[in-house]
């Protein structure tokens, strides 16, 4: 402790002897004085080199690279397919329907890509109609069952029939069967 105190006072004395020198000297390191900040410490020459702290952009660049990769991975083949279909296949033309022929639901669309999407991914309007009618029938049956249950409950209450009008029977062990053992007495 005494040694540090002597070193500190010696450094302060040395700093007072040469006040024109600036920067981070040994005297400034040992004293409790604040070093002057009008000059930046320059090391290794070649001008002012500072370590600038900035947030990492690794994840931003990675996201943009992956986005570009996947857009190009799907975009280029889709552009080639659509161009091929538009150039070589072309749009459908309106023609007479032969007698007795019923067109499929995708044949009503003009563009081949739309026709393919309609044929592959969507159900026909007839199937959609049947599914809706089935759902309506199920709901109607549920409603009829509820109405029947309400009518049965009303009739049971009105006629006194049902589990709430029953009386519990006694336990068989409580019955005295002794008079039946000698009937002639």
């Amino acid at each position: 402790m005494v040694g540090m105190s002597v070193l500190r006072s010696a450094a302060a004395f040395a700093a007072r002897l040469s006040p024109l020198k600036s920067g981070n000297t040994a005297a400034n390191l040992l004293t409790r004085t604040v070093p002057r900040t009008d000059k930046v410490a320059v090391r290794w020459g070649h001008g002012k080199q500072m370590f600038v702290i900035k947030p990492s952009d690794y994840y931003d660049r990675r996201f943009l690279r992956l986005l570009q990769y996947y857009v190009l991975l799907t975009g280029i083949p889709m552009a080639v397919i659509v161009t091929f279909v538009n150039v070589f296949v072309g749009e459908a033309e309106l023609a007479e329907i032969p007698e007795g022929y019923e067109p499929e639901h995708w044949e009503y669309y003009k563009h081949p890509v739309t026709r393919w999407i309609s044929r592959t991914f969507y159900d026909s309007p007839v199937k959609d109609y049947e599914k809706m009618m089935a759902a309506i029938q199920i709901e109607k049956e549920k409603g009829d069952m509820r109405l029947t249950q309400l009518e049965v409950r009303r009739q049971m209450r009105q006629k006194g029939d049902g589990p709430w009008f029953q009386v519990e029977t006694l336990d068989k062990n409580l019955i005295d069967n002794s008079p039946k053992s000698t009937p002639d007495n």
Side-chain angles (χ1 to χ4, degrees), residues 3 6 16 29 41 51 56 83 151-152 172 175:
V6 171
R16 279 190 223 109
L29 293 175
F51 180 70
S56 172
T83 303
E151 180 63 23
V152 166
K172 290 182 183 179
I175 299 174

Side-chain angles (χ1 to χ4, degrees), residues 50-56:
M50 300 186 69
F51 180 70
V52 179
I53 298 174
K54 63 179 182 176
S56 172

Side-chain angles (χ1 to χ4, degrees), residues 107-169:
E107 293 178 356
Y108 290 102
Y109 295 103
K110 191 173 183 182
H111 198 271
V113 174
T114 310
R115 294 173 83 159
W116 177 78
I117 290 172
S118 175
R119 181 179 62 234
T120 307
F121 298 112
Y122 294 139
D123 291 330
S124 69
V126 175
K127 187 174 180 180
D128 287 338
Y129 177 78
E130 291 294 330
K131 287 194 294 189
M132 182 57 67
M133 288 294 110
I136 291 171
Q137 175 67 24
I138 290 170
E139 292 300 320
K140 182 184 178 306
E141 289 173 1
K142 285 181 186 176
D144 291 344
M145 188 178 297
R146 287 188 200 104
L147 289 175
T148 306
Q149 285 178 351
L150 288 175
E151 180 63 23
V152 166
R153 285 178 178 256
R154 189 183 67 77
Q155 291 290 337
M156 286 168 63
R157 288 192 198 290
Q158 183 180 5
K159 295 181 180 179
D161 188 18
W164 47 84
F165 287 108
Q166 304 297 326
V167 178
E168 290 188 18
T169 57

Side-chain angles (χ1 to χ4, degrees), residues 172-183:
K172 290 182 183 179
N173 296 330
L174 298 176
I175 299 174
D176 185 20
N177 290 324
S178 60
K180 295 183 180 179
S181 63
T182 56

